[in-house]
Amino acid sequence: MGAYLFIHFKEKTTPDGEQIYFGLSRDGYCWERVNDGKPVLWSVKGEKGVRDSSIIRAKNGKFYILSTDLSLANNFFGKYEGKWAKVGREGSKCLMMWESDDLVHWSEQQELEFGDEDFGCLWAPEAVYDESEDDYLIHWSSSHASNDYGPKSIFYVRTKDFKTFTKPAVLCSKEDGPIIDSSIYEEDGSYYRFLKSEANPSAVILEKGDSLTGKYERVKAFDKEMAKLRRGVYEAPTAYKLPDGKWCLMLDFYGCEKEKMGYVPFIADSLKSGEFIRSDARFHFPYGFKHGTVLEISDEEYDRVKESFPNTESGAIRI
């Protein structure tokens, strides 16, 4: 049958929000908390807070979680003087990573220092398998000294083993505005890249390409559907296939007070069609899931996670 695991954080003013949370679903529609809705993993390095987490199942049988190294609860009004521009330029040059064989027992937190003095903060990492190269492409958004820390672009590195990595390179940029929150999926031999465009338009966009690092073109049908939404209040796209073969796209709605922030679902027959229809009535979330990704898991993995992190008001695991 299969099930789903949602890796995410919560938008809170306290440090416990910026950690690793798990959500589970049997069908991709109705989601449930685990571990009493508390963090499953805590960041103990860097800023001691992580956001924008993603997860991938690699060919070696291991699972990898990648996260932004950022704690606004700890540092926004101190280190960053309450200025988002300061966060973007002076934030962490590292990404955080955990690995596991079973989704329950996780390695010590690892710092991946992909940025140098020319990079701004490294945001929202995700990994995708490149069949043509038999390796993995880790991509994220950042500002850079090459344009005087102006509009953000998407950068990437390659790895075969999540131990050694190539030097960062530009994956894509947008001439008329910054782009962030890249998320890439394969369907029928083509790659589909969701991006949050921060201007022209201020909305999530979808592009199609024949290779991960090649040329992409906008999917116009997707623009038409997104134009129906309020501008500038959705980000962090993540997508997954539902049991019936349709695709669910989750967009993180942040245009409200923190307590009401969370994901909004959209359904399409295929990525190629680009016609994602908002479908709130079919979904249920126990609380506000924030910026994460969804992984398809087996029934056995679902049971293991649920049993290992039960809802008994027990504390979270710290490593």
Side-chain angles (χ1 to χ4, degrees), residues 13 27 48 50 57 110 170 181 195 200 247-248 304:
T13 58
D27 60 6
K48 297 186 178 179
V50 288
R57 184 198 302 268
Q110 302 170 60
V170 176
D181 295 355
L195 299 163
N200 304 308
W247 281 86
C248 177
R304 185 189 310 143

Side-chain angles (χ1 to χ4, degrees), residues 297-316:
I297 59 175
S298 66
D299 289 335
E300 180 183 0
E301 289 164 342
Y302 170 94
D303 292 337
R304 185 189 310 143
V305 170
K306 191 168 185 177
E307 291 169 6
S308 299
F309 305 110
N311 293 315
T312 63
E313 295 301 323
S314 59

Side-chain angles (χ1 to χ4, degrees), residues 23-36:
L24 287 173
S25 176
R26 283 287 192 189
D27 60 6
Y29 290 96
C30 296
W31 292 87
E32 59 186 297
R33 68 178 192 170
V34 300
N35 204 45
D36 297 314

Side-chain angles (χ1 to χ4, degrees), residues 8-279:
H8 63 94
F9 80 102
K10 292 183 182 181
E11 190 70 86
K12 300 177 66 177
T13 58
T14 50
D16 61 306
E18 296 167 309
Q19 308 299 337
I20 304 292
Y21 290 78
F22 286 1
L24 287 173
S25 176
R26 283 287 192 189
D27 60 6
Y29 290 96
C30 296
W31 292 87
E32 59 186 297
R33 68 178 192 170
V34 300
N35 204 45
D36 297 314
K38 298 174 184 177
V40 169
L41 293 168
W42 287 74
S43 176
V44 296
K45 295 185 177 182
E47 297 208 352
K48 297 186 178 179
V50 288
R51 301 166 65 94
D52 318 331
S53 296
S54 65
I55 187 170
I56 187 171
R57 184 198 302 268
K59 288 178 66 179
N60 62 8
K62 292 184 180 292
F63 301 92
Y64 295 92
I65 291 176
L66 296 163
S67 302
T68 303
D69 173 29
L70 177 64
S71 176
L72 298 181
N74 288 327
N75 298 311
F76 188 62
F77 292 106
K79 176 181 177 181
Y80 298 119
E81 301 174 353
K83 300 175 182 177
W84 278 104
K86 198 172 180 69
V87 176
R89 181 160 180 169
E90 300 179 14
S92 178
K93 310 303 185 284
C94 295
L95 299 174
M96 293 300 179
M97 184 176 78
W98 289 264
E99 64 179 82
S100 173
D101 294 317
D102 60 6
L103 295 173
V104 172
H105 302 93
W106 291 88
S107 70
E108 181 180 348
Q109 182 179 355
Q110 302 170 60
E111 295 178 277
L112 306 178
E113 191 171 354
F114 292 154
D116 56 24
E117 66 276 5
D118 288 334
F119 278 85
C121 184
L122 276 58
W123 304 84
E126 292 196 18
V128 59
Y129 177 64
D130 188 346
E131 186 172 2
S132 67
E133 300 292 334
D134 190 28
D135 65 4
Y136 297 87
L137 189 147
I138 298 175
H139 50 102
W140 70 90
S141 58
S142 183
S143 60
H144 197 268
S146 59
N147 65 349
D148 195 26
Y149 302 96
K152 297 180 182 68
S153 298
I154 306 299
F155 295 84
Y156 75 98
V157 297
R158 289 185 177 274
T159 182
K160 288 187 178 292
D161 55 10
F162 290 86
K163 293 184 173 68
T164 58
F165 307 89
T166 61
K167 291 184 178 180
V170 176
L171 179 62
C172 59
S173 58
K174 188 165 167 283
E175 292 183 358
D176 58 353
I179 48 175
I180 62 173
D181 295 355
S182 52
S183 196
I184 306 173
Y185 304 90
E186 186 273 338
E187 182 186 64
D188 296 333
S190 295
Y191 289 97
Y192 293 85
R193 185 168 66 198
F194 294 95
L195 299 163
K196 181 194 176 184
S197 168
E198 296 196 299
N200 304 308
S202 179
V204 176
I205 61 176
L206 176 61
E207 301 175 330
K208 178 183 179 181
D210 294 328
S211 68
L212 278 173
T213 59
K215 183 180 179 181
Y216 281 67
E217 295 183 353
R218 287 271 284 277
V219 178
K220 300 293 187 177
F222 186 79
D223 286 346
K224 182 179 178 181
E225 290 301 322
M226 293 299 104
K228 300 174 184 177
L229 303 178
R230 179 180 157 200
R231 294 290 187 176
V233 294
Y234 296 91
E235 62 184 3
T238 187
Y240 55 96
K241 262 192 172 181
L242 292 162
D244 62 5
K246 294 183 179 181
W247 281 86
C248 177
L249 170 67
M250 298 285 194
L251 296 184
D252 192 340
F253 174 62
Y254 64 94
C256 59
E257 58 269 31
K258 291 184 185 298
E259 293 76 12
K260 294 183 180 180
M261 289 184 179
Y263 273 96
V264 175
F266 300 77
I267 304 296
D269 290 335
S270 66
L271 295 177
K272 181 180 180 179
S273 76
E275 297 176 352
F276 282 86
I277 307 303
R278 186 162 177 167
S279 306

